[in-house]
């Protein structure tokens, strides 16, 4: 079960990836979380990525492809994985295709989630995350506790440094220029689905489950 969750910043990729991961017992591979962890640990990659993420640009394709190659080669990926935030450019999509061929994996299901930009901006400016485990909070669906301690791991709940309005606009611009063409890349294949993400988390998840059930029944 190889799944790509695709869509603009804030459409709910991370939220849905966590639910899919829990239900199907396959790992969520979030390139954004991997980069934030590298920043937290002060690694060479983290030092390079910090400034790029803060301004809303993309980290280089070669670095991202190297990270993904290493991550999907680990044993926990043997029954499948969910890519959240990757691929984000045509070069990354081509590179992923090569990796799938090299590793003889069946082609991935690509699910695009769409949400109007006004809703995205509202969601991202009010989002908080746990800096340790990456849990996602919002004031309505999953409010954060007043002591700002993550109920799951005790980590600090913070606002992401790229969740300010100026950087959100930049991330949306980068999405339209560099990531949106990836949609057409996956649309040529027969395992591409586009769903409305401007509904409750459960409604979105139910539709994803229906898609996955029908795809894997056909396989
Ligand atoms: P990344 O962390 O991937 O950020 P993103 O793509 O901008 O996506 P987000 O995490 O902001 O949003 P999401 O779609 O996961 O939404 P979420 O579920 O949190 O990347 C960050 C940066 O890292 C990039 O800008 C880039 O610099 C770098 N990077 C990462 N990958 C890279 C790559 N492949 N190549 C190069 N650079 C890369 O939901 C958002 C909010 O909405 C939450 O508060 C949530 O609770 C709420 N919410 C979710 N669903 C619903 C719903 N149905 N109804 C109401 N609220 C909802």
């Amino acid at each position: 079960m190889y799944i790509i969750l695709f869509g603009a910043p804030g459409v709910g990729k991370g939220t849905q990836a966590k639910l899919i991961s829990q239900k199907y017992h396959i790992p969520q591979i979030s390139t954004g979380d991997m980069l934030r962890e590298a920043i937290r640990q002060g690694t060479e990659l983290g030092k390079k990525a910090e400034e790029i993420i803060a301004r809303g640009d993309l980290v280089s394709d070669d670095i991202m492809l190297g990270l993904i190659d290493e991550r999907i080669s680990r044993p926990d990926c043997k029954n499948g994985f969910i890519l959240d935030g990757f691929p984000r450019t045509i070069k990354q999509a081509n590179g992923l295709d090569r990796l799938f061929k090299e590793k003889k994996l069946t082609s991935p299901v690509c699910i695009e989630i769409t949400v109007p930009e006004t809703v995205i901006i509202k969601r991202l400016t009010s989002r908080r995350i746990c800096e340790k485990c990456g849990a996602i909070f919002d004031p309505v669906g999953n409010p954060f506790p007043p002591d700002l301690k993550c109920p799951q791991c005790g980590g600090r709940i913070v606002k992401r440094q790229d969740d300010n309005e100026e950087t959100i606009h930049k991330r949306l611009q980068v999405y339209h220029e560099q990531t949106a063409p990836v949609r057409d890349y996956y649309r040529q294949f027969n395992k591409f689905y586009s769903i409305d993400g401007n509904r409750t988390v459960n409604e979105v998840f139910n539709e994803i489950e229906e898609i996955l059930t029908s795809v894997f029944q056909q396989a």
Side-chain angles (χ1 to χ4, degrees):
M1 193 182 262
Y2 305 105
I3 303 163
I4 295 173
L5 284 186
F6 182 78
V11 295
K13 302 181 294 296
T15 302
Q16 296 299 329
K18 283 183 174 50
L19 295 173
I20 300 169
S21 173
Q22 279 160 18
K23 164 114 199 201
Y24 296 97
H25 309 290
I26 52 173
Q28 169 194 11
I29 301 181
S30 158
T31 42
D33 284 350
M34 288 162 85
L35 294 170
R36 281 184 289 278
E37 181 57 22
I39 294 172
R40 217 163 71 85
Q41 293 190 2
T43 64
E44 279 309 307
L45 168 63
K47 285 178 198 151
K48 272 191 205 147
E50 187 162 20
E51 198 204 325
I52 299 172
I53 293 182
R55 33 167 223 270
D57 277 324
L58 297 182
V59 174
S60 95
D61 290 330
D62 291 336
I63 291 180
M64 297 314 300
L65 276 162
L67 270 184
I68 287 293
D69 188 6
E70 188 280 323
R71 181 65 187 87
I72 67 175
S73 304
R74 292 193 206 161
D76 66 332
C77 290
K78 73 175 188 324
N79 293 326
F81 48 78
I82 309 147
L83 292 174
D84 156 18
F86 185 94
R88 258 177 148 100
T89 63
I90 291 290
K91 191 171 168 195
Q92 290 181 13
N94 283 322
L96 184 67
D97 203 27
R98 262 196 318 276
L99 289 177
F100 266 68
K101 286 195 176 111
E102 272 169 35
K103 295 176 195 300
K104 299 191 172 48
L105 307 180
T106 51
S107 58
V109 183
C110 179
I111 302 177
E112 176 194 43
I113 307 176
T114 62
V115 170
E117 283 196 8
T118 45
V119 178
I120 286 179
I121 292 165
K122 243 193 218 151
R123 283 186 187 180
L124 291 184
T125 46
S126 57
R127 172 173 61 184
R128 297 292 183 277
I129 61 157
C130 169
E131 63 176 0
K132 197 166 161 202
C133 73
I136 304 166
F137 301 89
D138 67 76
V140 184
N142 187 17
F144 41 91
D147 64 358
L148 299 181
K149 269 201 182 139
C150 176
Q152 286 158 45
C153 74
R156 214 158 50 106
I157 296 173
V158 295
K159 190 173 164 90
R160 264 172 53 176
Q161 64 176 159
D162 56 347
D163 276 350
N164 61 75
E165 223 171 311
E166 193 188 338
T167 313
I168 293 166
H169 282 291
K170 179 66 197 292
R171 286 159 62 197
L172 288 168
Q173 184 198 339
V174 168
Y175 171 78
H176 289 300
E177 289 170 3
Q178 299 187 54
T179 308
V182 174
R183 181 180 192 273
D184 295 326
Y185 181 91
Y186 284 105
R187 257 159 53 120
Q188 347 158 29
F189 306 114
N190 62 0
K191 287 202 263 178
F192 176 88
Y193 300 84
S194 187
I195 63 174
D196 175 12
N198 194 16
R199 296 174 287 168
T200 67
V201 170
N202 282 343
E203 284 168 339
V204 178
F205 183 60
N206 287 343
E207 187 165 359
I208 291 177
E209 273 191 297
E210 277 169 26
I211 291 170
L212 294 178
T213 305
S214 83
V215 169
F216 295 108
Q217 269 169 0
Q218 284 162 31

